[in-house]
Amino acid sequence: VSSEFRLWSLFTVMSIVDVLTIPSMLLPKAAHKSSWLSLHFLRTLHVFGAYEQISSYGSDDSTRRGLISMILRFVVLVSCFAGAILVLEVLGEIPALDHLELSTDMGDISFFTMVYWIVETITTVGYGDYHPTTWLARVVTACLMVTGFAFLGLEMERIFSIMARNKKFAGSYIKTSRSHVVLVGGGVQQTDELLLLAFTEELFHPSYHRQWPDLLIMAADAASVERAKDILDQQLQWQARQQVYYLAGSPLNEQDLMRSRCDCAAMVCVISDTTGKKDPADEDKETLMRALSVRHTVPQTPLRVMLLLQASRETATGIGIPPRFCFAMNEMKDSLFWQSCRCKGWNTLLCNLMVTTGDEEVSPDNLAASPWLEEYVCGMGYEVYG
């Protein structure tokens, strides 16, 4: 357990909430009677996170799930702000700020009071608890109302524009502290479901969830991106979905490669479509074009290319893509078939070395019933990384 401990996990929002609320819950009841200050209302923040995690494992209707999520957000927002304002009002004013207030015809005011009133005025709430009394102050307030309202409208329009652009997957990936992998190619464009699920299940395997990278999926049109998103939203667990990003763009376009930050990506993977919707030779030609564009634009970024035909792999080597960067599916299938005929169990051994397997995938009851399984599961735990 200690080997998986990460110091940063102590400073997450939920961890801070636990530190502020759990110790007081462990005090004797007598201590609660003599103290009115409580931050237990912050624990409502756990409600929304718990629901999101639970719903990620079910097949609940997305509309119903969205409605429940919206209601929970509203309940958590109201509870937290109501509790915070109650605590702050009972505590009273900060002693150091008492001497900052000045008595005027407008009332007892200070700089902080005016900041509150300005925000109240710009947002057109207007409680009426304060109002200017001098002629000059009223002129400035009138200017504030006009310019503030215009400023707020323009900024809101800008925010909605950004949201609409991101909704159409036309935004840009913002680099985080985590590494990120970019996934492009016919497998994404044609929404090769089996291939996408196999790729993401291995990338986001629970055995090394603390090292999960961000995954950026890019296809040429928003419809293809939307299909890929729908598939992964249904299959990936909630934590993994938070690290998957989607963009509409082409790897043949340098600007789109920069939007996806391929220049600092841990790897760019170009995968071919295996559904057979297109001729394999034509599919490989498009894959090679995408791979060449990536290699020419960001030569320093590691590249992996999945082709379909052995001849295409030879072509890739001839045009400058190193052999270690690409492989052909059909060539690999033929080799695996031949080796499995020579050596029984070869495919099982190779798959166990390439696919991540956790201990939880075999139940203890089965291990007890079949002693040989213990050694088999131990061997499945060994993996090869390249």
Side-chain angles (χ1 to χ4, degrees):
V1 175
S2 60
S3 62
E4 297 184 357
F5 174 76
R6 297 292 184 274
L7 183 62
W8 60 264
S9 62
L10 295 176
F11 301 99
T12 62
V13 174
M14 295 308 175
S15 298
I16 295 174
V17 168
D18 290 339
V19 170
L20 293 175
T21 57
I22 291 179
S24 61
M25 297 172 64
L26 302 178
L27 295 176
K29 292 184 177 180
H32 287 289
K33 293 181 180 179
S34 61
S35 175
W36 61 268
L37 180 59
S38 173
L39 299 177
H40 292 170
F41 62 87
L42 294 175
R43 297 201 62 79
T44 56
L45 291 169
H46 284 283
V47 175
F48 178 71
Y51 173 75
E52 285 291 317
Q53 293 189 37
I54 293 172
S55 64
S56 66
Y57 294 101
S59 57
D60 194 12
D61 178 68
S62 58
T63 303
R64 180 184 175 188
R65 185 165 59 243
L67 181 61
I68 296 176
S69 177
M70 181 186 68
I71 294 173
L72 286 177
R73 283 194 186 97
F74 178 76
V75 171
V76 170
L77 179 70
V78 171
S79 300
C80 288
F81 274 100
I85 293 174
L86 173 64
V87 169
L88 295 174
E89 285 295 323
V90 174
L91 280 174
E93 188 60 86
I94 301 175
L97 300 180
D98 283 341
H99 69 283
L100 298 179
E101 290 192 346
L102 301 173
S103 296
T104 67
D105 293 339
M106 193 175 182
D108 293 337
I109 61 174
S110 67
F111 174 77
F112 301 102
T113 306
M114 288 296 94
V115 170
Y116 157 77
W117 181 73
I118 291 295
V119 174
E120 179 185 81
T121 303
I122 290 178
T123 55
T124 70
V125 175
Y127 289 124
D129 46 356
Y130 296 99
H131 62 275
T133 58
T134 66
W135 185 82
L136 289 176
R138 288 173 179 172
V139 171
V140 174
T141 301
C143 295
L144 167 68
M145 291 177 181
V146 175
T147 58
F149 186 75
F151 172 80
L152 186 63
L154 291 173
E155 290 303 310
M156 291 300 295
E157 181 183 3
R158 182 181 178 187
I159 292 173
F160 289 143
S161 175
I162 294 173
M163 292 174 62
R165 188 166 62 247
N166 289 336
K167 183 65 177 177
K168 297 178 181 178
F169 311 108
S172 300
Y173 172 72
I174 299 177
K175 180 65 177 175
T176 66
S177 58
R178 297 183 294 267
S179 59
H180 77 285
V181 175
V182 180
L183 183 65
V184 297
V188 179
Q189 185 66 34
Q190 302 298 330
T191 320
D192 189 338
E193 182 174 355
L194 295 179
L195 185 59
L196 288 175
L197 291 178
F199 185 92
T200 53
E201 286 174 3
E202 182 65 25
L203 188 67
F204 296 115
H205 196 277
S207 297
Y208 38 83
H209 68 277
R210 297 188 183 278
Q211 287 80 41
W212 283 352
D214 287 343
L215 173 63
L216 191 141
I217 297 177
M218 183 168 65
D221 56 88
S224 299
V225 180
E226 191 69 50
R227 290 195 300 268
K229 185 177 185 301
D230 290 340
I231 291 172
L232 297 183
D233 283 349
Q234 293 177 11
Q235 300 296 329
L236 289 183
Q237 53 186 306
W238 180 80
Q239 294 91 335
R241 294 203 305 268
Q242 310 312 305
Q243 295 182 218
V244 182
Y245 301 85
Y246 304 89
L247 286 181
S250 171
L252 301 177
N253 188 312
E254 183 176 350
Q255 292 183 350
D256 290 338
L257 291 176
M258 291 299 102
R259 284 172 50 223
S260 59
R261 296 307 308 272
C262 287
D263 56 319
C264 58
M267 183 174 293
V268 177
C269 299
V270 187
I271 59 175
S272 298
D273 174 34
T274 63
T275 61
K277 296 178 181 178
K278 300 182 67 174
D279 180 72
D282 293 338
E283 178 66 25
D284 281 349
K285 288 178 182 178
E286 295 183 5
T287 301
L288 287 175
M289 289 293 293
R290 296 181 180 109
L292 283 175
S293 176
V294 173
R295 184 159 176 79
H296 177 266
T297 306
V298 284
Q300 76 283 0
T301 301
L303 174 68
R304 296 296 182 270
V305 184
M306 190 198 87
L307 299 167
L308 299 179
L309 304 177
Q310 180 179 358
S312 301
R313 182 175 179 272
E314 296 172 355
T315 301
T317 304
I319 60 179
I321 299 178
R324 66 181 184 277
F325 288 174
C326 59
F327 66 94
M329 290 288 293
N330 288 357
E331 178 185 15
M332 185 172 291
K333 289 179 182 178
D334 294 342
S335 299
L336 287 175
F337 179 74
W338 169 244
Q339 293 296 342
S340 64
C341 293
R342 297 179 57 196
C343 178
K344 293 182 179 180
W346 169 261
N347 287 353
T348 303
L349 172 64
L350 187 61
C351 289
N352 287 343
L353 289 175
M354 296 179 63
V355 178
T356 304
T357 306
D359 296 337
E360 69 281 356
E361 298 184 31
V362 180
S363 66
D365 294 338
N366 291 336
L367 289 177
S370 304
W372 64 270
L373 268 178
E374 186 173 355
E375 294 184 4
Y376 181 74
V377 171
C378 179
M380 291 172 66
Y382 295 104
E383 300 159 6
V384 174
Y385 298 92

